[in-house]
C-alpha cells in the first residue's frame, strides 16, 4: 500500500507541450502535498521523453509515466491507470487541465466528512 493519500492519474496522447507544462506547474503548486502522479502515454509511436519532461516541472512530486503498447483511447488509458492505483483516492486529470492551487486540498477535505463517497470539480472560466 502506498504512503500517499491521493493518486493523480493523467492520460496523454501527443499533448501540446506548452499546455502540458502549464498543467504540471499547476499540479506542482498544489497546497495539498500528500499525492503522487501516474501518467499513461497512450501513443505507442510517441518517443518523447516524458519522464524528463515531468521531472523538469514536478520538482518534488513523485510520478510514474507508463507507456502503452497500443492506443487504448482515453477510457482505456484511465482504466489501466485506475488499476495501478493503491491509494484511497484518485483524482482524474486530462492532459490540458490547469488546476487551481487548492483543488486537491478542497477535494480531500470533502472526504473527511462522514458519508462522502464521491467528489468532483467543474471548470472555472
Amino acid at each position: 500500500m502506498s504512503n500517499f493519500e491521493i493518486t493523480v492519474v493523467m492520460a496523454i496522447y501527443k499533448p501540446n507541450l506548452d499546455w502540458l507544462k502549464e498543467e504540471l506547474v499547476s499540479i506542482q503548486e498544489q497546497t495539498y502535498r500528500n499525492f503522487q502522479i501516474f501518467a499513461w502515454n497512450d501513443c505507442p509511436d510517441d518517443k518523447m521523453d516524458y519522464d524528463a519532461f515531468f521531472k523538469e516541472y514536478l520538482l518534488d512530486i513523485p510520478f510514474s509515466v507508463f507507456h502503452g503498447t497500443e492506443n487504448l483511447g482515453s477510457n482505456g488509458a484511465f482504466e489501466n491507470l485506475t488499476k495501478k492505483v493503491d491509494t484511497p483516492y484518485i483524482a482524474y486529470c486530462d492532459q490540458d487541465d490547469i488546476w487551481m492551487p487548492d483543488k486537491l486540498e478542497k477535494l480531500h477535505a470533502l472526504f473527511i466528512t462522514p458519508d462522502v463517497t464521491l467528489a468532483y470539480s467543474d471548470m472555472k472560466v
Side-chain angles (χ1 to χ4, degrees), residues 49-68:
D49 185 354
Y50 289 105
D51 289 297
F53 191 84
F54 276 51
K55 190 174 189 175
E56 187 173 346
Y57 301 105
L58 299 175
L59 307 178
D60 60 354
I61 297 170
F63 68 88
S64 298
V65 179
F66 303 94
H67 303 276

Side-chain angles (χ1 to χ4, degrees), residues 8 14-15 19 55 63 83 92-93 103 108 113 115 123:
V8 174
K14 297 182 182 179
W19 294 350
K55 190 174 189 175
F63 68 88
K83 289 176 183 176
Y92 292 92
C93 184
K103 176 183 173 107
H108 185 264
T113 305
D115 300 323
M123 66 179 182

Side-chain angles (χ1 to χ4, degrees), residues 108-125:
H108 185 264
L110 291 171
F111 283 105
I112 60 175
T113 305
D115 300 323
V116 172
T117 56
L118 176 68
Y120 72 95
S121 62
D122 203 352
M123 66 179 182
K124 179 177 179 180
V125 179

